[in-house]
Amino acid sequence: MPRNLNRRMKNSYFIQSLIGLASLLSITACAEKDEIGDNSKNIRFIEKWIEVFNKRQQEEDPDFKEVQASGRGIYILHEEINPEGVEYQKDNYIVTDYETRDLKGNITATSDKELARKLNFPVSNSIYYGPKIMNTLVQTTYAGFLDGLQGIRKGSDRDFLIPSWLMTVKQYGSAEEYRQHKTDQSDVIYSLHIRDIVKDVNEYQLKIMEEKLSAYGLEAKDTIRKGIFYKSLEVIPAPEKPEKPEKPGNQEKAEDKDKVEDVLDSTRMDINYTGTMLFRDYTTAAEKVSTRIFDTSIEKTAKDAGIWNAAAKYTPKEIKFGTKAEETTMGTSTVIRGFYETLWQMRKERATKAIAIFWSDLGYGTKGSGQSIPGYTPLVFEIERIVQKPAEK
């Protein structure tokens, strides 16, 4: 569990303060909803919330420094800054453990699996819990969240409150302008433990992939292009063409006798596959790269990985090729780019077994896939083509 979140769990006073604040303030007029387009009541509610929060913290700790608004109007409730950590810069990516709470103290999201289990959140091997990679581009990140990152460093903890009017990606010229604009978001408290600060997320992923190459029998030279490593493990040579008969008159008969059937169909194939995600495990001293199987067509593999689903059909999947690589389908569905590029390379090299590792630009991108795969995650696919041998004559 992250240091900051562990401290919060052990020191329940912080949580009780939030719950107590909500109980106290919920009976005041400040808790009433604002009219459409008007933040005035919520502004007064936040100001009162901070006033009572400061009072309660000072009662617990006389040396507590009063919390005041910073940036465009967020409130840093607590922080422990690691002075030796790399400092966050504009447009960097952060790798962070996190919790979010409402102003009643209720935890609404967490990256910690054990905490999720205690809170009766959905927990299974099919759901990823762990540090999340977040981009912090101005055009895609809430203004209040960006303010909450200012001055933070790798290895640091910070809890900060973002008022609802700063939960927007819109850019205004002043804090007052933000206060004048309503959003459809709620006030939220973020608790972050910054695991890493990343300038180039592709290079970050590339290092993760390179650290796992040898474990999958790959080398740095086994690459189609930057961002995807590939290796054919087993191949079937192309059939030899029959020699032409010396006498043209016997050509048809000779071809029928000597023709060699190609066991590989160039328009389709049946495959078994296993998909694995790669991620850096920051709970280990060496921050080693870990793996987790997220999908497979093989029932035993699914059971061993703890992702077996009674509703799933664990049978070989039919792949059909179009005239272009991106037209490749599995069943009736299209597939991610790294997967279809792997299949086309198998087809080209006549491979019956192959392995590929590729970064998220060829996978599930910045958003990931549901609860199983977070954004910016490199993937491994092990694929075996099912080949039907021709009947003996």
Side-chain angles (χ1 to χ4, degrees):
M1 184 179 289
R3 292 195 308 255
N4 187 40
L5 307 188
N6 187 45
R7 173 178 54 79
R8 289 293 184 232
M9 290 295 290
K10 290 180 178 178
N11 181 7
S12 62
Y13 186 81
F14 179 81
I15 305 300
Q16 294 303 319
S17 293
L18 299 183
I19 296 172
L21 281 169
S23 300
L24 175 65
L25 297 178
S26 63
I27 61 175
T28 69
C30 295
E32 297 176 7
K33 292 184 178 180
D34 287 317
E35 299 296 330
I36 296 175
D38 182 9
N39 279 322
S40 58
K41 290 179 181 178
N42 195 38
I43 289 171
R44 293 198 300 272
F45 176 77
I46 293 293
E47 290 174 345
K48 187 65 177 177
W49 193 99
I50 291 297
E51 178 186 333
V52 178
F53 175 83
N54 282 331
K55 181 179 179 181
R56 292 204 166 197
Q57 294 299 308
Q58 287 169 345
E59 289 173 354
E60 174 72 8
D61 179 8
D63 295 326
F64 176 79
K65 187 177 180 181
E66 188 175 271
V67 170
Q68 297 183 350
S70 60
R72 288 166 284 193
I74 69 162
Y75 295 88
I76 297 176
L77 306 179
H78 180 87
E79 64 180 2
E80 295 177 13
I81 300 298
N82 174 16
E84 298 179 356
V86 175
E87 185 174 5
Y88 166 81
Q89 303 293 331
K90 180 182 177 182
D91 292 342
N92 283 171
Y93 295 77
I94 61 169
V95 185
T96 185
D97 297 303
Y98 65 91
E99 286 177 12
T100 60
R101 293 187 179 89
D102 61 25
L103 267 61
K104 296 178 181 179
N106 298 313
I107 296 175
T108 54
T110 179
S111 62
D112 186 80
K113 188 173 184 177
E114 292 309 310
L115 179 57
R117 198 187 306 276
K118 292 177 182 178
L119 295 170
N120 293 319
F121 287 1
V123 174
S124 74
N125 287 348
S126 297
I127 300 176
Y128 172 79
Y129 282 97
K132 184 177 181 180
I133 302 175
M134 301 180 182
N135 81 56
T136 64
L137 300 176
V138 171
Q139 61 268 32
T140 59
T141 309
Y142 290 140
F145 192 82
L146 290 175
D147 283 359
L149 297 179
Q150 299 309 305
I152 206 164
R153 293 175 177 270
K154 178 179 178 178
S156 298
D157 302 315
R158 180 175 284 174
D159 306 317
F160 54 98
L161 186 160
I162 306 178
S164 61
W165 57 87
L166 287 175
M167 295 289 287
T168 178
V169 298
K170 293 181 179 179
Q171 297 296 304
Y172 299 113
S174 66
E176 183 58 33
E177 287 184 82
Y178 279 97
R179 290 160 70 99
Q180 293 172 3
H181 288 83
K182 280 185 68 68
T183 71
D184 58 0
Q185 303 294 317
S186 301
D187 309 313
V188 61
I189 296 172
Y190 276 93
S191 294
L192 304 181
H193 174 62
I194 305 298
R195 295 290 190 174
D196 210 348
I197 304 289
V198 176
K199 292 182 179 180
D200 187 327
V201 76
N202 281 339
E203 290 301 317
Y204 173 85
Q205 292 183 70
L206 198 58
K207 288 181 180 179
I208 289 176
M209 293 157 64
E210 289 171 344
E211 286 182 35
K212 275 296 179 181
L213 288 179
S214 61
Y216 287 100
L218 295 168
E219 300 178 43
K221 65 180 179 62
D222 296 322
T223 180
I224 300 174
R225 56 186 171 81
K226 189 172 184 180
I228 179 168
F229 296 93
Y230 170 90
K231 187 175 184 179
S232 292
L233 303 177
E234 293 182 9
V235 299
I236 291 181
E240 295 182 5
K241 295 181 179 180
E243 295 182 6
K244 293 183 179 180
E246 294 181 4
K247 296 181 180 181
N250 297 331
Q251 182 175 358
E252 184 176 345
K253 186 175 182 180
E255 286 182 350
D256 288 342
K257 180 180 178 181
D258 300 329
K259 185 177 181 181
V260 178
E261 183 179 350
D262 191 348
V263 297
L264 300 186
D265 187 337
S266 62
T267 63
R268 63 173 301 284
M269 65 170 71
D270 294 318
I271 66 166
N272 277 319
Y273 71 91
T274 296
T276 303
M277 57 180 283
L278 303 180
F279 58 95
R280 194 167 294 286
D281 186 354
Y282 289 95
T283 64
T284 60
E287 298 183 352
K288 294 182 178 180
V289 175
S290 291
T291 64
R292 183 172 69 82
I293 292 174
F294 65 88
D295 191 19
T296 183
S297 62
I298 305 168
E299 187 168 26
K300 184 180 184 305
T301 302
K303 288 181 176 180
D304 290 346
I307 62 170
W308 183 81
N309 184 341
K313 293 183 178 180
Y314 295 99
T315 57
K317 307 303 179 184
E318 182 184 30
I319 301 296
K320 289 185 178 180
F321 297 106
T323 56
K324 299 178 181 178
E326 56 267 29
E327 295 173 352
T328 303
T329 59
M330 183 165 71
T332 58
S333 304
T334 57
V335 295
I336 55 177
R337 184 173 177 179
F339 194 69
Y340 71 63
E341 287 194 10
T342 301
L343 294 170
W344 271 64
Q345 195 68 20
M346 289 181 68
R347 175 179 147 178
K348 177 182 177 181
E349 298 187 11
R350 302 179 59 83
T352 55
K353 283 188 179 181
I355 187 166
I357 305 178
F358 49 86
W359 58 23
S360 62
D361 280 354
L362 303 178
Y364 293 104
T366 63
K367 296 182 179 180
S369 177
Q371 294 180 299
S372 298
I373 305 171
Y376 306 105
T377 298
L379 305 176
V380 181
F381 276 96
E382 298 166 274
I383 303 174
E384 180 176 6
R385 181 173 186 172
I386 309 301
V387 179
Q388 299 294 333
K389 295 182 179 180
E392 294 183 4
K393 297 182 179 179

